[in-house]
Amino acid sequence: MAYVPPHKRRSKEGEGCNESNKPPLNSNKRTPCKENYGSLAYNRTTQLPPDFGQITLYYCINLSERPDKWRAFQNRALNVHSEFAGLVKRFDAVNGKHVLREGRCSDDCIKLVWDASINAKYSSRARPGTKTMTAGEVGCALSHVELWKILTSTESSSENPVMMVLEDDAVFSSVAGRSRFVDVLAQALDNVPSDWGILYLGFSGRGERHYVEAMHNKNRHKSKYLYTVEIYQPEYGYHTHAYLITQQAALILLNKLPVQGPIDVWLADNNWFDIPVYSAVIANEGWKREDGTFEGAVLVSQERGHGLKSDVQQSSRVRAGNIAKQNKF
């Protein structure tokens, strides 16, 4: 089937209500029609489900220069649940321009020059060849690395503590203005195989998807959830704005430093260093493929409305001379 890049896709939540549309592979339940969304969205007056107890740490990456983005994120988190908003701590993001200006970019942690050849095979917007990381990519990568360090140094009663990592442009899944993130995350945690090391809550997958068999869905016969969340293993993909990571996985990644290239591309280029990686999507929603099935809607998207763009300039799309100018403080 023909590939359509994400920037040309249109969100089609609820289109699974059309009986002429075929459900996606491995789906045995249709998404409720939009007119029913209001009654089915998560009730924020109840307590968070016990599934959230599996997560030891919650962090949101935010630059000190962008308190506006932190306030906006907090409002979105409050719309999920007041208890959830209280769990998420602000992490002071690393400013890549400051790091480059002060010469604090250690080769042990970051290598600025990277090869975009693999990346270009999966993205029509990426240019193959040697690239130099932008300041935004440096700051983003170092911020995630610092959070991994926090996780690996965390003592917990759990054998393998888990951290939720969010970026401040994270937008939690909702319908009719009411959040359903609690419900879909709880189901994702129920359905993901026990060997997982990274679970993407927001991801732009490329290549083949290997869906988890229905037998892993422990609650599929109990009608416990309002939506159908599917779990798949990606071949390749992008974004680090929302994911869960275990302490063991974080240890592996820290032992594989330096990061070479954008953090999401570095992970995918290296097949996540054989860490068991999964992505969660809401079935019967999202971009509609040519065969009538749906790609699935992410649990956490990114704030891109009203002309908003990412603060991180992508080196895979920028000529070397322009990056040198942008990296000057």
Side-chain angles (χ1 to χ4, degrees):
M1 66 190 69
Y3 167 74
V4 179
H7 68 287
K8 291 186 178 179
R9 301 177 187 175
R10 296 180 60 189
S11 175
K12 297 188 177 182
E13 285 195 355
E15 202 162 346
C17 302
N18 187 336
E19 290 302 321
S20 65
N21 295 328
K22 299 177 182 178
L25 297 175
N26 302 317
S27 175
N28 55 16
K29 182 177 179 181
R30 284 197 174 278
T31 300
C33 294
K34 279 188 175 181
E35 54 266 29
N36 298 326
Y37 274 167
S39 62
L40 293 180
Y42 187 74
N43 183 355
R44 288 180 291 149
T45 63
T46 63
Q47 291 184 333
L48 287 177
D51 305 79
F52 278 70
Q54 299 178 42
I55 305 170
T56 306
L57 301 169
Y58 297 75
Y59 277 103
C60 174
I61 299 170
N62 169 251
L63 277 168
S64 57
E65 293 88 343
R66 297 303 305 270
D68 56 318
K69 296 191 73 172
W70 172 241
R71 288 193 296 269
F73 171 84
Q74 285 183 303
N75 287 333
R76 294 193 296 272
L78 280 169
N79 190 49
V80 171
H81 196 286
S82 58
E83 187 179 346
F84 172 73
L87 289 170
V88 183
K89 297 180 180 178
R90 177 184 173 274
F91 177 78
D92 194 8
V94 177
N95 189 311
K97 284 190 174 182
H98 294 178
V99 170
L100 294 174
R101 181 190 63 185
E102 297 164 9
R104 295 187 284 113
C105 199
S106 168
D107 285 343
D108 293 337
C109 192
I110 292 277
K111 283 191 176 180
L112 297 179
V113 179
W114 64 287
D115 185 355
S117 298
I118 300 177
N119 183 27
K121 292 179 180 179
Y122 289 93
S123 173
S124 59
R125 302 177 71 184
R127 297 169 177 168
T130 301
K131 308 293 179 182
T132 301
M133 292 176 70
T134 65
E137 289 171 338
V138 170
C140 180
L142 290 175
S143 297
H144 285 273
V145 168
E146 289 304 311
L147 284 177
W148 299 342
K149 290 179 180 178
I150 290 174
L151 177 57
T152 57
S153 63
T154 296
E155 294 184 2
S156 170
S157 57
S158 171
E159 273 185 34
N160 194 15
V162 173
M163 175 185 286
M164 178 182 288
V165 179
L166 301 164
E167 295 174 358
D168 59 12
D169 60 354
V171 177
F172 306 99
S173 182
S174 64
V175 285
R178 296 181 63 186
S179 177
R180 58 175 172 176
F181 178 67
V182 168
D183 186 83
V184 293
L185 177 60
Q187 186 180 168
L189 288 170
D190 254 357
N191 292 353
V192 68
S194 59
D195 69 340
W196 74 274
I198 296 175
L199 174 60
Y200 283 104
L201 309 178
F203 191 67
S204 183
R206 298 290 189 277
E208 295 294 323
R209 292 184 175 189
H210 304 284
Y211 281 88
V212 171
E213 295 295 331
M215 61 180 291
H216 288 296
N217 187 338
K218 299 187 291 295
N219 291 287
R220 68 190 184 97
H221 297 300
K222 298 181 181 179
S223 300
K224 176 181 177 181
Y225 297 108
L226 304 176
Y227 306 93
T228 298
V229 174
E230 296 181 325
I231 306 292
Y232 71 88
Q233 289 187 291
E235 176 183 327
Y236 197 89
Y238 305 104
H239 299 317
T240 53
H241 65 277
Y243 63 92
L244 301 177
I245 183 170
T246 67
Q247 189 177 72
Q248 291 175 1
L251 278 168
I252 292 172
L253 295 180
L254 291 176
N255 287 329
K256 297 299 182 179
L257 296 178
V259 174
Q260 192 164 9
I263 189 76
D264 55 343
V265 174
W266 175 69
L267 291 169
D269 277 358
N270 290 283
N271 194 31
W272 293 274
F273 301 98
D274 295 324
I275 294 169
V277 172
Y278 299 90
S279 181
V281 291
I282 305 167
N284 298 328
E285 297 184 9
W287 171 54
K288 187 178 181 181
R289 304 186 184 103
E290 290 181 347
D291 65 356
T293 63
F294 290 85
E295 185 177 66
V298 295
L299 280 58
V300 184
S301 58
Q302 291 175 286
E303 189 178 30
R304 291 289 184 267
H306 308 293
L308 294 175
K309 295 182 179 179
S310 172
D311 291 339
V312 179
Q313 182 69 46
Q314 297 182 21
S315 56
S316 60
R317 304 179 186 178
V318 184
R319 297 185 186 279
N322 293 335
I323 291 180
K325 294 178 183 178
Q326 292 169 9
N327 284 355
K328 289 183 179 179
F329 185 78

